[in-house]
Amino acid sequence: GGGGGGGGGGGVCIDRLEGGIVVLRTKTRPKRFGLRGTDGSAYSYLLKGREDLHLDARIMQLLRTVNGLLRADRAVRAASPTGLMHGSAGLRARHYAVLPLSERSGLIRWVEGVTPLYSLYEARLSHAAAQAAPREGGRPQAASPPETPRPADTFYAKLTPALHKAGVPAGAPRRAWPHGVLRSVLLELMRETPRDLIAHELWGRAANAAAGWASSRAYAASAATNSMVGYVVGLGDRHLDNVLLDLSSGELLHIDYNVCFEKGLRLKVAETVPFRMTPAMVSALGPWGVDGPFTSACVAVLRVLRSAREPILALLEAFVYEPLAEWGADRLLHEQRREAEVSVSLTLAASRVDELVAPLAHWRAELSPAVGRLTTAIGPLLDANDSRGPAEARRAALSADAEAAAAEHARCSEEAAATAVELDEASAALGAAASAAAVSAAEVHAALDVCAAQHAAASRAVEAVRCGAIVEAEARFAASAAAAASSVGGSSALLAELTAPMPGATEHAHAALGQAAAALPRLVELEEATATAEAAAISAGGGI
C-alpha cells in the first residue's frame, strides 16, 4: 500500500519496494527485502514463515519496558554520565521491531551494523590458518580458503578420542560420559580459544584510546543488562549466532527468543547456565573482569527489576492468559518442548548444512580431476588383474604338486612304519632262533657227553673182554701145560685135552670183538651229529 500523503497523519508509510529479495540459508529460509519510506529513509525487514513471532513481540515489549525503568531510575541516571560504571550509553537492552502477521509468519526489523560472535571467531581462525599457510616469495601461496570447523565439530573431535581412551564405548549415552573427561576437554578448548577475541575487535575498531575505553564500558553495561534480563525470563539457546556485537558502540544484541521461560532445562541436553559468560566475553570486560563495572551493572539492573516487579509481573501475565502461552496445559507444554528441541536441532542442522555448502562446491570442483587421476591409476590395476589368471593357474598347479608330494610322503611314512614293524618282528624271531639254537647246542653238548661216556664204556668193555679172554686163555694154557708137564704120558689125550677149551675161548673173544665193532658205527654217528650241531650253533651265533 503506497504512501501518499506521507506523514500527513504523523506516521511513516511505505513508498516503494527497493532492491531484490534475498533468501537466507537458515532453517526457515527467511526473505530479506528493503523498503523506502515516505520520509525518504530506507528500511530493511526480514520476512519469516513457519514460525510464530508473538512471543518475540512480547519479549521486545518487555525489553522496552525494562529500558524505560532503567532510564527512570535516579541512581542509574546519576552513574551513567560519569562513564565510569555503565558507559556513555547507560544501561539498556537493545531490541528490534517485531510485527506478527499471523500465527505462522511475521516481519522482523533488520538491524544494521551488528556482527554475530561466531563470525568474529571464524574470521580469527581463518586469519590464523592463512598466516600458518606456506608462503612463496614472501606471499602466501594461492590456495582455497581454509575451512573453519564449527565449535560442535571441534568439541566432538576432542571428546571422541578422550572417551575412547577412558574406555567409554562409541555410541554411549551422554549420562555415561565421565565428568572428568568432559572437564578436561572443556579446559583444553578454553586454552585453545583466543581470549582476546572480542576485546581485540573492539579496540581494533576504535579511533583512539578514549573510544576504545568507551566501547569496553558500553560492552560491560550491555552484557550485564542482557544477562540479567535473560536470567529473569529464563532465556536459553545463546549460541554464537544468537549473540550479535555492534563493533562501533560495543553493545550486544540478542536475537531468537524462542527458547525462554526455562525451556532450555527441558531440552535433551539441558541448559543449566543462567547466562552466557565465556572467557572471551570476560576478557572484553576490561582489567577488572567480572568484578568491576559488570558486577555493578548487574546489581543495578536486578535492583531496578525488583523495585518495579509489579509492572513487570503485569506484563508477564499476558504470557499466561494469551492463547499462545497456555503454560498450564500439559499438551501445550509437551508441544513446546518438542518444538524447542526440533528448533534447536534444525538450527544446528541448518548451520551444519551451511558449513558444508562451500566444502561441497570445492569438492565438486576437484571431483573431475580426481576422477581422471583415478581412471589413470586404475589402468595398471586392471592390467595386474588380467595377469592374475596365469598366476592363479600356476598357484593351483603348485598346490596340486604340493598335495601329491604330501600324499607320497604319507605313503612313504606308512611303508616305513610297516618296515619298522617287520624289523621288530624279525628281531624277535632272531632272538627266538638264538634262544632255540642255544638250547639245541646245550642238548648237543649233553648228547656228546653221553656219547663220550658210552664210547669210553664201550672201550673199557672191549678192553676188559679182550684182556679177560687173553688172561683166561693164558691161565688155561698154563694149567694145561702144567698138567702136560706133570703127566707126560699120553700126548694125544693130553694134547686133545689141552686143545679142547681153546675154541670156546676164541669164540667168546670173537663175540666180544663183534660187539665192539657193532658199537663203533653208533659212535661215528654220534660224532657226526655232534659236529653238525656245533656247526649249526656256530652259524646261528654268527647270524645273531
Side-chain angles (χ1 to χ4, degrees), residues 396-445:
L398 292 176
S399 300
D401 294 341
E403 292 177 357
E408 182 67 19
H409 180 268
R411 188 184 63 78
C412 293
S413 299
E414 293 177 356
E415 292 180 356
T419 304
V421 172
E422 293 178 357
L423 288 176
D424 293 338
E425 293 177 353
S427 299
L430 288 175
S435 299
V439 172
S440 300
E443 292 178 353
V444 167
H445 284 293

mmCIF file of all heavy atoms in Angstrom, residues 396-445:
data_model
loop_
_atom_site.group_PDB
_atom_site.id
_atom_site.type_symbol
_atom_site.label_atom_id
_atom_site.label_comp_id
_atom_site.label_asym_id
_atom_site.label_seq_id
_atom_site.Cartn_x
_atom_site.Cartn_y
_atom_site.Cartn_z
ATOM 1 N N ALA A 396 47.575 -72.868 -8.596
ATOM 2 C CA ALA A 396 46.780 -74.090 -8.457
ATOM 3 C C ALA A 396 47.618 -75.323 -8.777
ATOM 4 O O ALA A 396 47.531 -76.354 -8.096
ATOM 5 C CB ALA A 396 45.558 -74.018 -9.370
ATOM 6 N N ALA A 397 48.474 -75.214 -9.873
ATOM 7 C CA ALA A 397 49.337 -76.347 -10.218
ATOM 8 C C ALA A 397 50.320 -76.650 -9.097
ATOM 9 O O ALA A 397 50.560 -77.815 -8.747
ATOM 10 C CB ALA A 397 50.083 -76.041 -11.527
ATOM 11 N N LEU A 398 50.906 -75.595 -8.557
ATOM 12 C CA LEU A 398 51.841 -75.798 -7.442
ATOM 13 C C LEU A 398 51.129 -76.405 -6.238
ATOM 14 O O LEU A 398 51.690 -77.258 -5.532
ATOM 15 C CB LEU A 398 52.486 -74.463 -7.072
ATOM 16 C CG LEU A 398 53.447 -73.872 -8.118
ATOM 17 C CD1 LEU A 398 53.944 -72.503 -7.663
ATOM 18 C CD2 LEU A 398 54.638 -74.810 -8.357
ATOM 19 N N SER A 399 49.886 -75.975 -6.019
ATOM 20 C CA SER A 399 49.133 -76.547 -4.900
ATOM 21 C C SER A 399 48.866 -78.028 -5.136
ATOM 22 O O SER A 399 48.974 -78.844 -4.211
ATOM 23 C CB SER A 399 47.817 -75.786 -4.723
ATOM 24 O OG SER A 399 48.063 -74.425 -4.446
ATOM 25 N N ALA A 400 48.521 -78.401 -6.417
ATOM 26 C CA ALA A 400 48.294 -79.817 -6.726
ATOM 27 C C ALA A 400 49.572 -80.628 -6.526
ATOM 28 O O ALA A 400 49.548 -81.739 -5.967
ATOM 29 C CB ALA A 400 47.783 -79.959 -8.162
ATOM 30 N N ASP A 401 50.723 -80.059 -7.015
ATOM 31 C CA ASP A 401 52.002 -80.761 -6.806
ATOM 32 C C ASP A 401 52.295 -80.928 -5.325
ATOM 33 O O ASP A 401 52.803 -81.974 -4.879
ATOM 34 C CB ASP A 401 53.120 -79.985 -7.491
ATOM 35 C CG ASP A 401 52.956 -79.972 -9.017
ATOM 36 O OD1 ASP A 401 52.201 -80.842 -9.537
ATOM 37 O OD2 ASP A 401 53.577 -79.104 -9.668
ATOM 38 N N ALA A 402 52.021 -79.896 -4.586
ATOM 39 C CA ALA A 402 52.283 -79.976 -3.149
ATOM 40 C C ALA A 402 51.401 -81.037 -2.497
ATOM 41 O O ALA A 402 51.856 -81.790 -1.626
ATOM 42 C CB ALA A 402 52.047 -78.608 -2.496
ATOM 43 N N GLU A 403 50.127 -81.126 -2.945
ATOM 44 C CA GLU A 403 49.241 -82.151 -2.387
ATOM 45 C C GLU A 403 49.723 -83.552 -2.770
ATOM 46 O O GLU A 403 49.677 -84.482 -1.948
ATOM 47 C CB GLU A 403 47.814 -81.917 -2.896
ATOM 48 C CG GLU A 403 47.180 -80.642 -2.358
ATOM 49 C CD GLU A 403 45.802 -80.417 -2.938
ATOM 50 O OE1 GLU A 403 45.398 -81.239 -3.797
ATOM 51 O OE2 GLU A 403 45.138 -79.441 -2.543
ATOM 52 N N ALA A 404 50.191 -83.734 -4.057
ATOM 53 C CA ALA A 404 50.717 -85.045 -4.460
ATOM 54 C C ALA A 404 51.955 -85.413 -3.645
ATOM 55 O O ALA A 404 52.123 -86.559 -3.214
ATOM 56 C CB ALA A 404 51.037 -85.021 -5.959
ATOM 57 N N ALA A 405 52.845 -84.439 -3.465
ATOM 58 C CA ALA A 405 54.041 -84.699 -2.660
ATOM 59 C C ALA A 405 53.667 -85.068 -1.235
ATOM 60 O O ALA A 405 54.284 -85.950 -0.615
ATOM 61 C CB ALA A 405 54.948 -83.461 -2.675
ATOM 62 N N ALA A 406 52.637 -84.400 -0.704
ATOM 63 C CA ALA A 406 52.195 -84.718 0.655
ATOM 64 C C ALA A 406 51.634 -86.131 0.717
ATOM 65 O O ALA A 406 51.887 -86.877 1.680
ATOM 66 C CB ALA A 406 51.138 -83.705 1.103
ATOM 67 N N ALA A 407 50.865 -86.547 -0.348
ATOM 68 C CA ALA A 407 50.335 -87.912 -0.367
ATOM 69 C C ALA A 407 51.467 -88.937 -0.463
ATOM 70 O O ALA A 407 51.447 -89.978 0.215
ATOM 71 C CB ALA A 407 49.366 -88.069 -1.548
ATOM 72 N N GLU A 408 52.467 -88.649 -1.340
ATOM 73 C CA GLU A 408 53.614 -89.555 -1.451
ATOM 74 C C GLU A 408 54.369 -89.651 -0.141
ATOM 75 O O GLU A 408 54.810 -90.733 0.276
ATOM 76 C CB GLU A 408 54.528 -89.055 -2.572
ATOM 77 C CG GLU A 408 55.738 -89.944 -2.834
ATOM 78 C CD GLU A 408 55.349 -91.312 -3.391
ATOM 79 O OE1 GLU A 408 54.203 -91.436 -3.909
ATOM 80 O OE2 GLU A 408 56.171 -92.235 -3.304
ATOM 81 N N HIS A 409 54.520 -88.525 0.506
ATOM 82 C CA HIS A 409 55.200 -88.524 1.808
ATOM 83 C C HIS A 409 54.431 -89.363 2.820
ATOM 84 O O HIS A 409 55.026 -90.119 3.607
ATOM 85 C CB HIS A 409 55.334 -87.079 2.297
ATOM 86 C CG HIS A 409 56.019 -86.973 3.623
ATOM 87 N ND1 HIS A 409 55.310 -86.961 4.798
ATOM 88 C CD2 HIS A 409 57.342 -86.890 3.953
ATOM 89 C CE1 HIS A 409 56.163 -86.870 5.815
ATOM 90 N NE2 HIS A 409 57.393 -86.816 5.315
ATOM 91 N N ALA A 410 53.078 -89.260 2.785
ATOM 92 C CA ALA A 410 52.281 -90.063 3.703
ATOM 93 C C ALA A 410 52.429 -91.550 3.409
ATOM 94 O O ALA A 410 52.541 -92.376 4.323
ATOM 95 C CB ALA A 410 50.800 -89.639 3.610
ATOM 96 N N ARG A 411 52.436 -91.902 2.072
ATOM 97 C CA ARG A 411 52.614 -93.315 1.710
ATOM 98 C C ARG A 411 53.965 -93.840 2.174
ATOM 99 O O ARG A 411 54.068 -94.946 2.719
ATOM 100 C CB ARG A 411 52.463 -93.471 0.191
ATOM 101 C CG ARG A 411 52.439 -94.921 -0.293
ATOM 102 C CD ARG A 411 52.384 -94.969 -1.806
ATOM 103 N NE ARG A 411 53.577 -94.366 -2.410
ATOM 104 C CZ ARG A 411 54.782 -94.974 -2.493
ATOM 105 N NH1 ARG A 411 54.926 -96.209 -2.018
ATOM 106 N NH2 ARG A 411 55.802 -94.369 -3.062
ATOM 107 N N CYS A 412 55.036 -93.069 1.924
ATOM 108 C CA CYS A 412 56.372 -93.490 2.369
ATOM 109 C C CYS A 412 56.424 -93.643 3.885
ATOM 110 O O CYS A 412 57.091 -94.542 4.412
ATOM 111 C CB CYS A 412 57.417 -92.481 1.895
ATOM 112 S SG CYS A 412 57.632 -92.445 0.099
ATOM 113 N N SER A 413 55.708 -92.735 4.573
ATOM 114 C CA SER A 413 55.690 -92.848 6.037
ATOM 115 C C SER A 413 55.014 -94.132 6.472
ATOM 116 O O SER A 413 55.480 -94.814 7.401
ATOM 117 C CB SER A 413 54.959 -91.627 6.623
ATOM 118 O OG SER A 413 55.638 -90.434 6.283
ATOM 119 N N GLU A 414 53.906 -94.495 5.764
ATOM 120 C CA GLU A 414 53.223 -95.743 6.112
ATOM 121 C C GLU A 414 54.114 -96.942 5.837
ATOM 122 O O GLU A 414 54.185 -97.882 6.644
ATOM 123 C CB GLU A 414 51.924 -95.849 5.309
ATOM 124 C CG GLU A 414 50.884 -94.805 5.693
ATOM 125 C CD GLU A 414 49.653 -94.897 4.826
ATOM 126 O OE1 GLU A 414 49.669 -95.739 3.888
ATOM 127 O OE2 GLU A 414 48.678 -94.142 5.083
ATOM 128 N N GLU A 415 54.822 -96.929 4.657
ATOM 129 C CA GLU A 415 55.724 -98.049 4.357
ATOM 130 C C GLU A 415 56.860 -98.139 5.368
ATOM 131 O O GLU A 415 57.272 -99.227 5.781
ATOM 132 C CB GLU A 415 56.289 -97.877 2.944
ATOM 133 C CG GLU A 415 55.248 -98.040 1.842
ATOM 134 C CD GLU A 415 55.844 -97.871 0.460
ATOM 135 O OE1 GLU A 415 57.061 -97.550 0.401
ATOM 136 O OE2 GLU A 415 55.132 -98.071 -0.540
ATOM 137 N N ALA A 416 57.397 -97.005 5.759
ATOM 138 C CA ALA A 416 58.476 -97.023 6.756
ATOM 139 C C ALA A 416 57.974 -97.593 8.070
ATOM 140 O O ALA A 416 58.686 -98.346 8.753
ATOM 141 C CB ALA A 416 59.008 -95.589 6.961
ATOM 142 N N ALA A 417 56.703 -97.229 8.425
ATOM 143 C CA ALA A 417 56.149 -97.777 9.661
ATOM 144 C C ALA A 417 55.981 -99.287 9.556
ATOM 145 O O ALA A 417 56.296 -100.028 10.500
ATOM 146 C CB ALA A 417 54.802 -97.103 9.965
ATOM 147 N N ALA A 418 55.494 -99.776 8.359
ATOM 148 C CA ALA A 418 55.342 -101.224 8.186
ATOM 149 C C ALA A 418 56.697 -101.930 8.228
ATOM 150 O O ALA A 418 56.849 -103.001 8.818
ATOM 151 C CB ALA A 418 54.635 -101.508 6.854
ATOM 152 N N THR A 419 57.709 -101.307 7.563
ATOM 153 C CA THR A 419 59.056 -101.893 7.585
ATOM 154 C C THR A 419 59.600 -101.959 9.001
ATOM 155 O O THR A 419 60.265 -102.936 9.391
ATOM 156 C CB THR A 419 59.999 -101.056 6.698
ATOM 157 O OG1 THR A 419 59.435 -100.990 5.379
ATOM 158 C CG2 THR A 419 61.379 -101.676 6.643
ATOM 159 N N ALA A 420 59.323 -100.918 9.777
ATOM 160 C CA ALA A 420 59.788 -100.925 11.166
ATOM 161 C C ALA A 420 59.134 -102.056 11.945
ATOM 162 O O ALA A 420 59.779 -102.726 12.763
ATOM 163 C CB ALA A 420 59.476 -99.576 11.824
ATOM 164 N N VAL A 421 57.813 -102.299 11.664
ATOM 165 C CA VAL A 421 57.124 -103.396 12.350
ATOM 166 C C VAL A 421 57.744 -104.738 11.950
ATOM 167 O O VAL A 421 57.971 -105.621 12.793
ATOM 168 C CB VAL A 421 55.621 -103.358 12.009
ATOM 169 C CG1 VAL A 421 54.911 -104.597 12.541
ATOM 170 C CG2 VAL A 421 54.987 -102.091 12.593
ATOM 171 N N GLU A 422 58.008 -104.890 10.621
ATOM 172 C CA GLU A 422 58.635 -106.146 10.165
ATOM 173 C C GLU A 422 60.006 -106.330 10.798
ATOM 174 O O GLU A 422 60.396 -107.444 11.163
ATOM 175 C CB GLU A 422 58.748 -106.131 8.640
ATOM 176 C CG GLU A 422 57.392 -106.187 7.935
ATOM 177 C CD GLU A 422 57.537 -106.110 6.428
ATOM 178 O OE1 GLU A 422 58.695 -105.951 5.974
ATOM 179 O OE2 GLU A 422 56.524 -106.212 5.708
ATOM 180 N N LEU A 423 60.802 -105.239 10.871
ATOM 181 C CA LEU A 423 62.117 -105.344 11.513
ATOM 182 C C LEU A 423 61.982 -105.757 12.969
ATOM 183 O O LEU A 423 62.781 -106.573 13.476
ATOM 184 C CB LEU A 423 62.851 -104.000 11.406
ATOM 185 C CG LEU A 423 63.355 -103.622 10.009
ATOM 186 C CD1 LEU A 423 63.966 -102.232 10.024
ATOM 187 C CD2 LEU A 423 64.399 -104.637 9.525
ATOM 188 N N ASP A 424 60.961 -105.214 13.640
ATOM 189 C CA ASP A 424 60.762 -105.616 15.036
ATOM 190 C C ASP A 424 60.407 -107.093 15.118
ATOM 191 O O ASP A 424 60.906 -107.822 15.996
ATOM 192 C CB ASP A 424 59.641 -104.775 15.653
ATOM 193 C CG ASP A 424 60.045 -103.312 15.781
ATOM 194 O OD1 ASP A 424 61.268 -103.046 15.798
ATOM 195 O OD2 ASP A 424 59.150 -102.452 15.882
ATOM 196 N N GLU A 425 59.547 -107.565 14.177
ATOM 197 C CA GLU A 425 59.186 -108.987 14.192
ATOM 198 C C GLU A 425 60.391 -109.860 13.875
ATOM 199 O O GLU A 425 60.589 -110.930 14.480
ATOM 200 C CB GLU A 425 58.073 -109.226 13.158
ATOM 201 C CG GLU A 425 56.759 -108.548 13.516
ATOM 202 C CD GLU A 425 55.712 -108.745 12.445
ATOM 203 O OE1 GLU A 425 56.073 -109.299 11.381
ATOM 204 O OE2 GLU A 425 54.535 -108.336 12.659
ATOM 205 N N ALA A 426 61.258 -109.456 12.849
ATOM 206 C CA ALA A 426 62.459 -110.243 12.509
ATOM 207 C C ALA A 426 63.416 -110.290 13.680
ATOM 208 O O ALA A 426 64.046 -111.333 13.951
ATOM 209 C CB ALA A 426 63.142 -109.621 11.290
ATOM 210 N N SER A 427 63.540 -109.155 14.371
ATOM 211 C CA SER A 427 64.420 -109.152 15.546
ATOM 212 C C SER A 427 63.909 -110.106 16.604
ATOM 213 O O SER A 427 64.687 -110.833 17.236
ATOM 214 C CB SER A 427 64.503 -107.718 16.112
ATOM 215 O OG SER A 427 65.051 -106.830 15.157
ATOM 216 N N ALA A 428 62.569 -110.113 16.802
ATOM 217 C CA ALA A 428 62.010 -111.045 17.783
ATOM 218 C C ALA A 428 62.241 -112.491 17.348
ATOM 219 O O ALA A 428 62.578 -113.357 18.162
ATOM 220 C CB ALA A 428 60.508 -110.769 17.956
ATOM 221 N N ALA A 429 62.067 -112.748 16.012
ATOM 222 C CA ALA A 429 62.284 -114.120 15.518
ATOM 223 C C ALA A 429 63.745 -114.543 15.691
ATOM 224 O O ALA A 429 64.046 -115.677 16.057
ATOM 225 C CB ALA A 429 61.875 -114.203 14.043
ATOM 226 N N LEU A 430 64.670 -113.618 15.357
ATOM 227 C CA LEU A 430 66.089 -113.930 15.543
ATOM 228 C C LEU A 430 66.404 -114.220 16.998
ATOM 229 O O LEU A 430 67.199 -115.108 17.324
ATOM 230 C CB LEU A 430 66.938 -112.778 15.020
ATOM 231 C CG LEU A 430 66.989 -112.612 13.487
ATOM 232 C CD1 LEU A 430 67.779 -111.357 13.141
ATOM 233 C CD2 LEU A 430 67.629 -113.842 12.848
ATOM 234 N N GLY A 431 65.781 -113.416 17.879
ATOM 235 C CA GLY A 431 66.010 -113.680 19.305
ATOM 236 C C GLY A 431 65.516 -115.054 19.696
ATOM 237 O O GLY A 431 66.184 -115.781 20.442
ATOM 238 N N ALA A 432 64.313 -115.442 19.172
ATOM 239 C CA ALA A 432 63.777 -116.771 19.497
ATOM 240 C C ALA A 432 64.664 -117.864 18.914
ATOM 241 O O ALA A 432 64.927 -118.897 19.558
ATOM 242 C CB ALA A 432 62.347 -116.891 18.946
ATOM 243 N N ALA A 433 65.162 -117.632 17.611
ATOM 244 C CA ALA A 433 66.044 -118.630 16.998
ATOM 245 C C ALA A 433 67.337 -118.764 17.780
ATOM 246 O O ALA A 433 67.877 -119.864 17.950
ATOM 247 C CB ALA A 433 66.341 -118.220 15.546
ATOM 248 N N ALA A 434 67.879 -117.638 18.236
ATOM 249 C CA ALA A 434 69.115 -117.708 19.024
ATOM 250 C C ALA A 434 68.887 -118.488 20.308
ATOM 251 O O ALA A 434 69.728 -119.292 20.735
ATOM 252 C CB ALA A 434 69.601 -116.282 19.330
ATOM 253 N N SER A 435 67.703 -118.214 20.923
ATOM 254 C CA SER A 435 67.414 -118.954 22.169
ATOM 255 C C SER A 435 67.281 -120.450 21.872
ATOM 256 O O SER A 435 67.823 -121.294 22.609
ATOM 257 C CB SER A 435 66.113 -118.425 22.787
ATOM 258 O OG SER A 435 66.252 -117.056 23.096
ATOM 259 N N ALA A 436 66.578 -120.783 20.741
ATOM 260 C CA ALA A 436 66.430 -122.193 20.395
ATOM 261 C C ALA A 436 67.772 -122.832 20.058
ATOM 262 O O ALA A 436 68.054 -123.975 20.420
ATOM 263 C CB ALA A 436 65.466 -122.327 19.197
ATOM 264 N N ALA A 437 68.649 -122.072 19.322
ATOM 265 C CA ALA A 437 69.975 -122.599 18.984
ATOM 266 C C ALA A 437 70.791 -122.847 20.240
ATOM 267 O O ALA A 437 71.545 -123.817 20.346
ATOM 268 C CB ALA A 437 70.692 -121.616 18.055
ATOM 269 N N ALA A 438 70.638 -121.920 21.192
ATOM 270 C CA ALA A 438 71.380 -122.112 22.447
ATOM 271 C C ALA A 438 70.903 -123.375 23.148
ATOM 272 O O ALA A 438 71.709 -124.165 23.677
ATOM 273 C CB ALA A 438 71.196 -120.871 23.350
ATOM 274 N N VAL A 439 69.553 -123.573 23.134
ATOM 275 C CA VAL A 439 69.022 -124.787 23.776
ATOM 276 C C VAL A 439 69.510 -126.036 23.029
ATOM 277 O O VAL A 439 69.922 -127.032 23.637
ATOM 278 C CB VAL A 439 67.482 -124.723 23.797
ATOM 279 C CG1 VAL A 439 66.900 -126.048 24.284
ATOM 280 C CG2 VAL A 439 67.026 -123.578 24.698
ATOM 281 N N SER A 440 69.508 -125.965 21.640
ATOM 282 C CA SER A 440 69.981 -127.113 20.854
ATOM 283 C C SER A 440 71.461 -127.389 21.119
ATOM 284 O O SER A 440 71.892 -128.550 21.184
ATOM 285 C CB SER A 440 69.761 -126.839 19.361
ATOM 286 O OG SER A 440 68.381 -126.644 19.098
ATOM 287 N N ALA A 441 72.252 -126.327 21.196
ATOM 288 C CA ALA A 441 73.679 -126.507 21.486
ATOM 289 C C ALA A 441 73.881 -127.196 22.824
ATOM 290 O O ALA A 441 74.736 -128.096 22.970
ATOM 291 C CB ALA A 441 74.387 -125.165 21.445
ATOM 292 N N ALA A 442 73.052 -126.799 23.809
ATOM 293 C CA ALA A 442 73.173 -127.436 25.133
ATOM 294 C C ALA A 442 72.795 -128.904 25.044
ATOM 295 O O ALA A 442 73.457 -129.778 25.633
ATOM 296 C CB ALA A 442 72.273 -126.699 26.135
ATOM 297 N N GLU A 443 71.709 -129.173 24.269
ATOM 298 C CA GLU A 443 71.314 -130.583 24.119
ATOM 299 C C GLU A 443 72.403 -131.376 23.394
ATOM 300 O O GLU A 443 72.689 -132.532 23.736
ATOM 301 C CB GLU A 443 69.996 -130.655 23.341
ATOM 302 C CG GLU A 443 68.819 -130.089 24.106
ATOM 303 C CD GLU A 443 67.563 -130.125 23.283
ATOM 304 O OE1 GLU A 443 67.653 -130.466 22.092
ATOM 305 O OE2 GLU A 443 66.470 -129.797 23.826
ATOM 306 N N VAL A 444 73.032 -130.760 22.330
ATOM 307 C CA VAL A 444 74.099 -131.448 21.592
ATOM 308 C C VAL A 444 75.265 -131.761 22.497
ATOM 309 O O VAL A 444 75.861 -132.858 22.460
ATOM 310 C CB VAL A 444 74.522 -130.602 20.384
ATOM 311 C CG1 VAL A 444 75.831 -131.135 19.783
ATOM 312 C CG2 VAL A 444 73.414 -130.609 19.347
ATOM 313 N N HIS A 445 75.630 -130.734 23.287
ATOM 314 C CA HIS A 445 76.750 -130.952 24.209
ATOM 315 C C HIS A 445 76.417 -132.058 25.199
ATOM 316 O O HIS A 445 77.282 -132.898 25.522
ATOM 317 C CB HIS A 445 77.095 -129.657 24.953
ATOM 318 C CG HIS A 445 77.842 -128.671 24.100
ATOM 319 N ND1 HIS A 445 79.126 -128.918 23.641
ATOM 320 C CD2 HIS A 445 77.501 -127.442 23.623
ATOM 321 C CE1 HIS A 445 79.548 -127.887 22.911
ATOM 322 N NE2 HIS A 445 78.573 -126.991 22.891
#
